[in-house]
Amino acid sequence: MKKIISFILVAVMIVTSLAAFASCGKGNSAANGKSKVKVYEAYDLTAEKYAFAVAKENTALKTAANELLAELKENGELDKIINSFFDGSSTFTYTNPVSSVPTGADRENYLVVATNAYFPPFEYYEGDKLSGVDMKIASLLAEKLGKTLYIYDMEFDSVIISVKQGQADIGMAGMTVNEERLKSIDFTTEYYESAQVLVVRENDTVFADCKSADDIVTKLKAQEKSFKVGTQNGTTGYMYTAGDEGFGYDGFKNLTCSGYTTGALAILDLANNKVDAVILDKQPAKMIAESTNK
Ligand code: ARG
């Protein structure tokens, strides 16, 4: 009898200590919660230029868009538009007048713009209205052409194909000009210079002593497969991280590149400890980080 009681006692002790151990683990990760993130905005990992994508045969639209961009550069409007979305002073928003992509005879009355509207300050939602630098320029282009604007929001990696196939007339999506993309579509003149930058959690120690873009690259190269970098699918950030011959990037084959449908989801996973870093276009990275930290 004594033996049985002491056996039960020991068993109970083992079970309770195991339970305490498990809940301690859980408690720790819950206490970690959502971390704040920071952007290494001073260290450009790439040098990129944005332009609008048009189908190779659509020279009339390319000419019109180039004329508009030349005018906006000439009269200083382009800088004003860009600044107003960077500092948040713009009040421009746009709502599609119809609920689906125009088809049939009506199609030619519309300028259909392909974008991925999760890329502030270039394209984003304000409630259910569209806004951003590219959306404002799209409205000016439609006006110039005497057409009604329809913004066709889609996954970023569908933008080029939809322009190539004519579902959309033009891609306006903070899109970087690149030789590989030029194989399937054409680009207008450039309107903005950008770069990929690194985003990490505020308490990160891996990159803490980096003093240059080269330092960041060295650190990225020193990580192991378990180190995850989040990027947006189909973007130059993805190509830079995963490597892509056509885009001219070797990539970081030592680590894991995780593709997300939007940069915001990648940064949210960073804040939630699901990835170790994010690589994204600079201004979107800054704005998304700011709203994630709120
Ligand atoms: N500049 C990058 C690229 O061209 C990212 C663009 C992402 N744009 C967007 N609207 N989500 O690949």
Side-chain angles (χ1 to χ4, degrees):
M1 189 62 182
K2 249 189 175 175
K3 260 189 185 166
I4 293 176
I5 288 173
S6 62
F7 174 76
I8 289 172
L9 266 177
V10 169
V12 165
M13 274 164 69
I14 289 174
V15 169
T16 40
S17 64
L18 276 179
F21 184 73
S23 74
C24 163
K26 257 191 211 147
N28 270 343
S29 64
N32 282 340
K34 191 172 135 193
S35 307
K36 291 206 169 189
V37 300
K38 64 175 176 191
V39 182
Y40 279 96
E41 58 179 279
Y43 308 142
D44 292 359
L45 301 175
T46 61
E48 306 184 19
K49 287 177 175 152
Y50 293 173
F52 305 128
V54 287
K56 285 202 184 288
E57 61 279 7
N58 203 347
T59 49
L61 182 55
K62 180 176 163 177
T63 305
N66 282 345
E67 273 173 22
L68 175 66
L69 285 171
E71 280 165 33
L72 295 177
K73 285 177 190 174
E74 174 91 24
N75 64 18
E77 267 309 305
L78 181 61
D79 285 341
K80 279 193 199 148
I81 292 170
I82 291 173
N83 291 337
S84 72
F85 287 101
F86 276 51
D87 68 17
S89 65
S90 172
T91 54
F92 173 86
T93 58
Y94 187 76
T95 306
N96 284 327
V98 288
S99 57
S100 59
V101 195
T103 52
D106 203 25
R107 173 66 175 86
E108 66 189 54
N109 300 321
Y110 283 86
L111 174 71
V112 178
V113 172
T115 198
N116 168 256
Y118 298 88
F119 199 66
F122 293 92
E123 40 269 335
Y124 56 94
Y125 283 98
E126 243 185 61
D128 51 7
K129 297 183 179 117
L130 289 148
S131 191
V133 174
D134 293 336
M135 304 298 94
K136 172 69 188 172
I137 301 175
S139 75
L140 296 174
L141 182 59
E143 196 180 309
K144 180 180 169 73
L145 297 166
K147 295 194 176 196
T148 305
L149 177 62
Y150 183 86
I151 304 290
Y152 193 173
D153 185 16
M154 59 183 74
E155 305 271 293
F156 180 75
D157 52 11
S158 301
V159 171
I160 288 184
I161 189 81
S162 80
V163 170
K164 187 179 156 78
Q165 295 178 343
Q167 285 103 341
D169 300 311
I170 187 165
M172 304 179 82
M175 190 177 280
T176 303
V177 179
N178 175 278
E179 287 305 317
E180 186 63 19
R181 289 173 175 165
L182 278 165
K183 287 181 186 163
S184 51
I185 41 101
D186 236 344
F187 278 107
T188 62
T189 49
E190 292 142 0
Y191 65 98
Y192 185 72
E193 285 186 15
S194 185
Q196 298 302 311
V197 292
L198 183 82
V199 191
V200 295
R201 282 182 291 277
E202 238 170 43
N203 61 2
D204 164 82
T205 51
V206 177
F207 299 93
D209 52 3
C210 286
K211 298 274 181 292
S212 67
D214 282 350
D215 287 353
I216 289 178
V217 170
T218 305
K219 287 286 182 195
L220 285 169
K221 282 186 179 156
Q223 301 314 307
E224 290 176 4
K225 258 302 180 221
S226 57
F227 191 90
K228 282 199 199 135
V229 178
T231 61
Q232 187 182 13
N233 289 327
T235 65
T236 43
Y238 184 95
M239 310 303 166
Y240 172 80
T241 309
D244 186 285
E245 219 180 298
F247 278 76
Y249 291 130
D250 295 338
F252 301 88
K253 298 280 158 56
N254 51 298
L255 47 76
T256 302
C257 177
S258 305
Y260 288 83
T261 52
T262 68
L265 288 175
I267 291 189
L268 188 62
D269 260 7
L270 175 67
N272 285 324
N273 284 283
K274 304 259 174 59
V275 294
D276 303 289
V278 167
I279 291 180
L280 202 69
D281 295 51
K282 190 188 293 186
Q283 194 63 24
K286 285 168 67 176
M287 291 192 152
I288 294 167
E290 204 186 308
S291 52
T292 306
N293 284 344
K294 268 184 194 152

